[in-house]
Amino acid sequence: MTELPFHYQKGELYCESMPVDSIAEDVGTPFYLYSYGHLVERVKTLKQAFSEVNFQTHFAAKANSNISVLRILALEGCGMDVVSAGEIFRCIRAGADPSSIVFAGVGKQEWEMRYALELGIGCFNIESEAELELLGAVAKDMGKRAPIAVRVNPDVDPKTHPYISTGLKKSKFGLTPEKAKALYKRAMEMDSIEIVGIHCHIGSQITTVSPFRDAVERVIALVVELRKEGITIRDLDMGGGLGIRYKHETPPTPFELAEAVVPMVKEIGLNLHMEPGRWISGNCGALITKVLFEKRGETKNFLVVDAAMNDLARPSLYGAYHSIMASPLREGDGDVWDVVGPICESGDFLAQERELPPVKPGDLLAVCSAGAYGFTMSSNYNSRCRVPEVLVKGEGYWLIREREEFEDLVRGERIPPFLLEEEE
Ligand SMILES: *Cc1c(COP(=O)(O)O)cnc(C)c1O
C-alpha cells in the first residue's frame, strides 16, 4: 500500500500530513480527496524514466478533469490528452499550453475541430478517413494547417477488462496498419494537413510490459514502411494504459516500460509521447464516505455508507476492486461486509465480501485508488448532488470543487408554459 498517499498515525487516517477526519468535519461526507504531492511525484517519475529520449507526457484528462488537478500537472510540464472540446475547454481554463494538447476520439465533430484549430492544439489523432477529410476541409476553410497523427490499431491484446480494451481488430478505435498507410498517403496530398505523428492506444489498466512492446514494435514497423514512401513522422505517441495497483496487481514501473520501448524509439529516431491517465492520478485520491448503518442479513452483512455508485461507478460498472481504509482504525476482529450505498439498484456497491477491521456508524471509509475515473464518471442518478473535491498539500487542504446543491440538480430545466396555465 506504499503507493498510496494515505497512512495511519495513532489509528487515525492521514492524507499527506492532514488528518482526513478533520477535513470530513469541515466539508461533510462524501467527498473526493486528492494528494498534491502524489500527482507531482508521478509526473516527475515519468520524466525520469524516459529521460533518454525526447519525451512528452499528455495526461488523459478524462481520468480526472478537475481544473486544479489539470493545473498542477500542467505546471509540472505535463501536456494533455483530450477526447472532447469540453475537455479542451477545461485544459485551457487550467492554464495548459494549447500546443501540448492532443485530441483523440472516433467522433470529433466539425465544431470541435474548429474550436481546437482556433486554439492551436498540438495534434489531432485521426481515427478514420472520413474524419481526415472533414478536418482537411475545416482547416482549409479556416486558412490553417491541422497537425495530425493517425491512430493505428496494432491488434495486440492488452489482457485487461474488455470494456477498456481498445487495440484489438474488433475495436471501434484506430485503423489497421494497411488502412493507416493509405490515410497517410491521402494526408500527404492535402495542403491543410500536416503530418506530425503516429498514435496508438491499446487499452487501460495494462499490467505487463509485452503488449506495450508489441504495439510499439508494430507501429515502428509501419513508420519504416511510411519512410520508404517518403512520409516522415516526428512523434510516436504510444497512448496510455499503464496499470496501477488496486489490489495485488504488479504493473510494470515506468522504468521497466522504458527499458522495453526506449531502445526501439531511439533507434528509429522519434520523439516519444505517452498519454497516461490512471497511472498519474489513480492512486492520488480516495472517495471518503461515512458509515451510516450496519444491516445484518441471513447470508450477507451490509455496511450502508453515504457514497454510492453515482459517486464512484467503477465497482458497479467493471466489478472493480478498490481497497478500503477505515478511520479510526479500531482494534479487534473485523467482519466481512458488502459496502453499499443508498441508491435504489442492487448493483449499488463499493465493495463486496470485503473484510474490514471493526467499524461503527459514523466512522469514515476511504475508498482508495479513486483519483482516476472516479469523479469524472460520477452522475446525479437518484438526484444525488455530486460530491466536492478536496486537494491536500502537506498540512493544508483546499476545496477545489464545491458540493452541488439542490438548485444545481434542476439548473437549466424548464417547465413548458402549457403546464403552468391555470385550469379554467
Ligand atoms: C483513456 C485514454 C487514455 C488514458 O488511459 P489510462 O488507462 O487512464 O492511462 C490515453 N489515451 C487515449 C486515447 C484514451 O482514450
Side-chain angles (χ1 to χ4, degrees):
M1 301 277 269
T2 49
E3 259 197 32
L4 303 178
F6 299 94
H7 65 276
Y8 289 107
Q9 270 180 45
K10 296 193 181 116
E12 217 190 327
L13 187 66
Y14 277 69
C15 178
E16 296 195 16
S17 307
M18 191 65 219
V20 174
D21 290 60
S22 68
I23 304 173
E25 266 165 40
D26 187 21
V27 307
T29 56
F31 63 95
Y32 274 95
L33 187 57
Y34 308 132
S35 156
Y36 169 86
H38 186 90
L39 285 168
V40 169
E41 190 58 41
R42 297 298 257 191
V43 178
K44 284 193 162 54
T45 302
L46 284 174
K47 248 188 243 169
Q48 242 187 330
F50 291 90
S51 60
E52 276 190 46
V53 275
N54 213 336
F55 178 71
Q56 176 66 49
T57 308
H58 304 265
F59 176 63
K62 71 176 184 285
N64 188 326
S65 58
N66 183 287
I67 57 172
S68 289
V69 170
L70 297 179
R71 183 160 183 81
I72 291 166
L73 299 173
L75 290 173
E76 288 301 314
C78 201
M80 301 293 160
D81 163 49
V82 304
V83 291
S84 71
E87 283 186 354
I88 296 176
F89 170 79
R90 284 183 170 278
C91 292
I92 299 299
R93 183 59 67 88
D97 178 353
S99 71
S100 79
I101 298 175
V102 296
F103 189 3
V106 294
K108 297 180 198 80
Q109 298 179 62
E110 184 176 335
W111 66 269
E112 292 184 300
M113 292 174 176
R114 275 185 195 279
Y115 182 70
L117 280 168
E118 241 152 49
L119 289 164
I121 68 153
C123 192
F124 291 84
N125 291 337
I126 300 295
E127 307 236 12
S128 66
E129 192 186 337
E131 182 191 341
L132 179 67
E133 295 299 336
L134 179 59
L135 180 63
V138 172
K140 189 173 174 190
D141 182 54
M142 293 172 74
K144 293 194 188 273
R145 286 191 90 196
I148 66 136
V150 174
R151 180 168 179 174
V152 182
N153 186 335
D155 194 31
V156 298
D157 186 354
K159 301 204 166 54
T160 184
H161 193 287
Y163 288 8
I164 50 178
S165 181
T166 52
L168 283 168
K169 263 189 193 153
K170 63 183 180 190
S171 157
K172 73 172 175 179
F173 299 100
L175 294 151
T176 61
E178 271 316 299
K179 289 222 165 95
K181 198 166 150 186
L183 219 61
Y184 275 113
K185 282 187 187 164
R186 170 71 186 121
M188 284 287 276
E189 304 166 358
M190 298 165 81
D191 291 335
S192 58
I193 295 289
E194 183 191 1
I195 297 169
V196 298
I198 190 159
H199 177 240
C200 70
H201 170 71
I202 54 174
S204 201
Q205 185 56 15
I206 299 167
T207 53
T208 55
V209 166
S210 58
F212 290 110
R213 183 193 295 119
D214 294 351
V216 168
E217 217 169 64
R218 288 177 195 188
V219 170
I220 285 179
L222 179 56
V223 171
V224 171
E225 274 190 49
L226 291 171
R227 278 184 182 173
K228 285 183 201 149
E229 308 269 349
I231 300 166
T232 47
I233 280 166
R234 187 186 71 199
D235 302 330
L236 191 164
D237 184 342
M238 63 180 285
L242 184 55
I244 58 170
R245 174 172 295 177
Y246 286 99
K247 193 180 182 183
H248 300 308
E249 302 94 332
T250 50
T253 66
F255 295 92
E256 289 163 338
L257 186 57
E259 210 178 283
V261 303
V262 161
M264 294 190 275
V265 175
K266 255 175 117 169
E267 197 191 324
I268 184 108
L270 295 172
N271 301 330
L272 183 62
H273 293 242
M274 205 173 153
E275 306 167 339
R278 190 188 313 268
W279 194 86
I280 289 178
S281 70
N283 276 336
C284 90
L287 173 64
I288 310 297
T289 181
K290 190 173 71 184
V291 176
L292 299 176
F293 308 112
E294 293 180 0
K295 180 174 174 183
R296 293 186 186 269
E298 275 182 23
T299 56
K300 270 180 180 272
N301 294 328
F302 297 100
L303 205 55
V304 185
V305 299
D306 62 2
M309 64 187 280
N310 72 298
D311 303 310
L312 179 63
R314 298 188 69 259
S316 304
L317 191 59
Y318 308 119
Y321 179 102
H322 287 260
S323 67
I324 290 179
M325 298 171 89
S327 189
L329 183 61
R330 299 182 186 279
E331 310 249 315
D333 291 335
D335 236 321
V336 175
W337 300 98
D338 275 19
V339 180
V340 302
I343 282 190
C344 300
E345 299 263 355
S346 295
D348 179 26
F349 56 85
L350 299 175
Q352 287 182 304
E353 304 282 325
R354 186 68 61 86
E355 191 171 352
L356 294 175
V359 282
K360 289 185 179 166
D363 287 1
L364 297 180
L365 301 181
V367 184
C368 297
S369 311
Y373 309 105
F375 186 89
T376 51
M377 291 179 92
S378 68
S379 77
N380 290 116
Y381 188 42
N382 275 215
S383 285
R384 288 165 53 84
C385 294
R386 283 187 301 167
V387 305
E389 295 174 285
V390 176
L391 180 75
V392 169
K393 178 172 184 272
E395 292 172 349
Y397 70 94
W398 291 264
L399 191 65
I400 57 171
R401 180 189 187 104
E402 292 175 4
R403 188 181 301 284
E404 286 183 345
E405 295 176 349
F406 287 163
E407 280 303 321
D408 296 316
L409 293 178
V410 293
R411 174 147 307 133
E413 292 183 33
R414 302 272 190 283
I415 298 175
F418 77 90
L419 290 175
L420 295 172
E421 274 163 23
E422 300 280 317
E423 274 186 51
E424 287 175 25

